[in-house]
Amino acid sequence: MEIEKLLGKIEQKGFSNKEIAEKLDIAESTFYRKLKRKSFSVEEAQKMSELLSLSAAEAYEIFFGKRLA
């Protein structure tokens, strides 16, 4: 998982990490823990992809690129 790219996209779209956590229906502390552990569920990754208007290629690179490549 490419955390820096994800955080960059969040910032680029004008969201705060707290807003993303709220939209995922998780606590902000849980969001940070998931970032640290690189442990977002597929559903959470899909929702973030939609919120951030990520293309399929961008989503793959951010969420799966290092692990599956």
Side-chain angles (χ1 to χ4, degrees):
M1 184 171 161
E2 297 287 334
I3 294 171
E4 293 303 319
K5 288 183 182 182
L6 175 60
L7 293 174
K9 287 292 184 178
I10 290 170
E11 184 178 329
Q12 182 182 23
K13 293 293 182 175
F15 288 109
S16 68
N17 292 338
K18 182 177 181 176
E19 289 172 313
I20 295 294
E22 288 171 357
K23 292 185 183 296
L24 294 176
D25 199 28
I26 60 175
E28 187 176 6
S29 60
T30 302
F31 178 76
Y32 284 109
R33 187 171 45 255
K34 286 177 175 274
L35 275 176
K36 183 178 178 181
R37 294 181 182 166
K38 301 177 183 181
S39 64
F40 289 101
S41 70
V42 172
E43 292 81 14
E44 290 165 338
Q46 284 179 312
K47 187 154 190 171
M48 281 190 279
S49 295
E50 292 170 10
L51 290 169
L52 302 174
S53 303
L54 299 178
S55 69
E58 288 174 317
Y60 180 86
E61 181 181 352
I62 289 171
F63 294 107
F64 306 110
K66 290 286 184 187
R67 208 177 326 181
L68 297 178

